[in-house]
Amino acid sequence: MIYQVSGTNKISKLFNGWNETIIWSCLQGVMGHLYADSIENPQSAMAILGDFCFLAGVPNQELVSFKPEWCMQDFIIMSASSNEWFKVIEAVYGKRCTKVSRYAIKKEPNIFDERKLQVFAEEIPDKIELTMIDKQIFNYCLRNDWSRDFVSLYKNYEEYEKLGIGVVALSDNLPVAGASSYSRYKDGIEIEIDTKTEFRRRGLATACAAKLILECKKKNLYPSWDAHNPWSVGLAEKLGYHFDKEYQVYEIRGY
């Protein structure tokens, strides 16, 4: 039996040593969901938010197989605290899962050079304008595949206005690139960045990300970054972050 749980001390202990903001979002009750094999004495736990699922404690096949009723997606990225969990994931999902690398970026406060970030934010092509995500842009982002992850984890604009923060680059008054809070925890955000294909390699992702970091600093929020490819690592380092380590996850299609 799998139970939905809250971020109690017993659950938190199972995730000790994980420096992941999505787990923090779930444990803090800001966003996401927690599940475990027991309410009173949990030995295995899962934190799930958006496209990400984290497994901790004693490997549990029932938990790996579990899909919450509210979860309508057929794709998820699973990460776990041990190789034993990975074996269970492979046994459950077989050819539906693919082991891939992601790249952790260090979470270091007070490392950003604000003058340098300001220069990046201002180095944009003519006829491009940076602006914060408002209700109109929020709704636009939801309607378009390339930008949906900027805002998709928020129930509505009112929740995004309360918890989220984001910047987009406009061309002819339409978003063509952006950087936004994929998710939120109490003291910061997890950054999501993307650019429409035809507008890439123009410095727009750099400009939007730099502007977002500056806006986060104004609000005393930490802009956490986790990279899904080497290009993302390079952009993070350009903005002042430092690479931490490569780690393995499973991409599951047919979840």
Side-chain angles (χ1 to χ4, degrees), residues 119-155:
V119 170
F120 286 147
E122 293 172 354
E123 288 182 336
I124 53 177
D126 291 341
K127 299 182 180 180
I128 296 290
E129 175 189 359
L130 298 190
T131 188
M132 305 302 293
I133 293 179
D134 59 14
K135 188 172 185 177
Q136 182 178 356
I137 295 172
F138 176 92
N139 291 328
Y140 173 91
C141 290
L142 276 180
R143 294 193 302 267
N144 291 271
D145 289 342
W146 77 269
S147 57
R148 188 168 294 120
D149 282 346
F150 291 159
V151 299
S152 61
L153 296 189
Y154 303 85
K155 296 176 183 176

Side-chain angles (χ1 to χ4, degrees), residues 41 45 70-71 75 90 103 137 147 150 167 190 202 215 243:
N41 187 32
W70 55 264
C71 186
F75 171 81
E90 291 174 353
Y103 306 88
I137 295 172
S147 57
F150 291 159
V167 177
E190 188 68 36
R202 301 189 192 183
E215 293 297 324
F243 174 71

Side-chain angles (χ1 to χ4, degrees), residues 53-121:
C53 173
F54 296 87
L55 299 155
V58 178
N60 182 311
Q61 183 169 333
E62 186 179 10
L63 194 61
V64 171
S65 305
F66 177 73
K67 182 177 181 178
E69 291 184 1
W70 55 264
C71 186
M72 304 303 292
Q73 67 209 56
D74 62 1
F75 171 81
I76 201 157
I77 298 168
M78 279 192 177
S79 186
S81 56
S82 69
N83 287 330
E84 285 71 25
W85 275 109
F86 287 167
K87 292 176 183 177
V88 177
I89 293 171
E90 291 174 353
V92 170
Y93 292 103
K95 293 182 179 179
R96 287 181 289 162
C97 69
T98 304
K99 196 173 187 179
V100 300
S101 292
R102 288 185 67 92
Y103 306 88
I105 304 299
K106 292 181 180 179
K107 295 173 176 60
E108 303 170 295
N110 304 317
I111 61 166
F112 300 108
D113 183 334
E114 293 188 33
R115 289 177 296 181
K116 186 175 180 181
L117 291 174
Q118 189 62 48
V119 170
F120 286 147

Side-chain angles (χ1 to χ4, degrees), residues 190-215:
E190 188 68 36
I191 292 181
E192 174 75 18
I193 295 178
D194 208 344
T195 304
K196 288 190 73 173
T197 302
E198 60 268 35
F199 285 87
R200 290 176 180 170
R201 296 188 177 277
R202 301 189 192 183
L204 300 184
T206 301
C208 289
K211 176 69 172 174
L212 179 59
I213 294 168
L214 291 170
E215 293 297 324

Side-chain angles (χ1 to χ4, degrees), residues 20-31:
E20 291 285 352
T21 69
I22 287 178
I23 294 175
W24 301 344
S25 295
C26 296
L27 291 174
Q28 293 168 358
V30 179
M31 302 178 76

Side-chain angles (χ1 to χ4, degrees), residues 165-191:
I165 182 172
V167 177
V168 293
L170 301 178
S171 176
D172 293 327
N173 294 317
L174 291 176
V176 295
S180 181
S181 50
Y182 178 76
S183 57
R184 169 71 187 270
Y185 64 103
K186 285 185 179 179
D187 300 319
I189 66 168
E190 188 68 36
I191 292 181

